[in-house]
Structures are given as C-alpha cells and as structure tokens.
Amino acid sequence: QVQLVESGGGLVQAGGSLRLSCAGSGRTFSNSAMGWFRQAPGKEREFVAAITWSGSSTYYADSVKGRFTISRDNAKNTVYLQMNSLKPEDTAVYYCAAGGWGALPGDYTYWGQGPQVTVSS
C-alpha cells in the first residue's frame, strides 16, 4: 500500500511558476516509479510526466516538454513537478500516481488527492 499526499496547487498568472509536491508513505517509496497526470473540466485524465524509481530517467507529454520538470528526493519520499511558463490551458486538477509505469491512468495503482492548478490569462 502507498499513500500519496500532494501540495502546492493554487492560482497563478500566465507565464508564472508553481511547484507541486507529492509525499509518499507506506510501501517502499524509493522502489516505485512515479507519474503526474492532470484532468481539466470535461476532459479525460491525461499524462504529464513520469520518473523512474532512481530518478535517472524522465518522460514528458509533448504539451509540457521544456516547461515542466519532474524530480524526486527518495530520502524525503517526495516527488516534485516544477511548472514554469504556465499557460491557461495548463489549468487542471493535478494528480500524482504510483505503483505502475506508463502514460495511461490505468497503468498506476495509487493516486493522490489532486490539488487544483489555475492559470489566469
């Protein structure tokens, strides 16, 4: 079992930055690959980024590549999503995920509660 608690959402103007954190506990966190997804109103949950258990490899959706950075600190059992150059279309509820690997929501078993990120134009 893995418990995920997210923080760092909020309201920001276009062009601004936010950093999301996802603190994990339970089953060995450092052995788990992690992902970030987002879901805008009326849309499907979509892949944003993923990182391997060691942090040596990262993967991004084309829509965020070059603007977002996923990282992790296994000593703190925490995964981060640094979001720069934010756009109004980045507005969504953001979820961290664990217990799997891939770019589909069904690839993961455990989910955080999902903080809201709102980008105003």
Side-chain angles (χ1 to χ4, degrees):
Q1 188 76 12
V2 173
Q3 292 79 43
L4 304 173
V5 178
E6 300 161 359
S7 60
L11 173 66
V12 65
Q13 288 189 331
S17 299
L18 280 176
R19 188 175 80 159
L20 302 181
S21 300
C22 175
S25 62
R27 193 168 69 101
T28 306
F29 177 85
S30 60
N31 289 339
S32 180
M34 300 291 294
W36 283 97
F37 287 76
R38 66 186 182 186
Q39 188 167 16
K43 294 189 176 182
E44 299 285 323
R45 190 170 298 191
E46 66 174 3
F47 172 75
V48 175
I51 188 167
T52 55
W53 67 269
S54 67
S56 60
S57 295
T58 56
Y59 301 92
Y60 297 93
D62 288 343
S63 59
V64 306
K65 202 171 294 183
R67 301 187 298 121
F68 290 13
T69 302
I70 187 172
S71 62
R72 67 189 300 162
D73 184 341
N74 287 339
K76 296 182 178 179
N77 284 355
T78 301
V79 174
Y80 304 97
L81 185 68
Q82 177 67 43
M83 305 184 292
N84 299 329
S85 302
L86 283 161
K87 304 175 181 179
E89 51 263 44
D90 294 318
T91 295
V93 176
Y94 282 71
Y95 299 90
C96 68
W101 179 253
L104 297 175
D107 293 333
Y108 296 84
T109 302
Y110 306 105
W111 292 87
Q113 79 280 10
Q116 174 71 44
V117 171
T118 302
V119 184
S120 63
S121 58

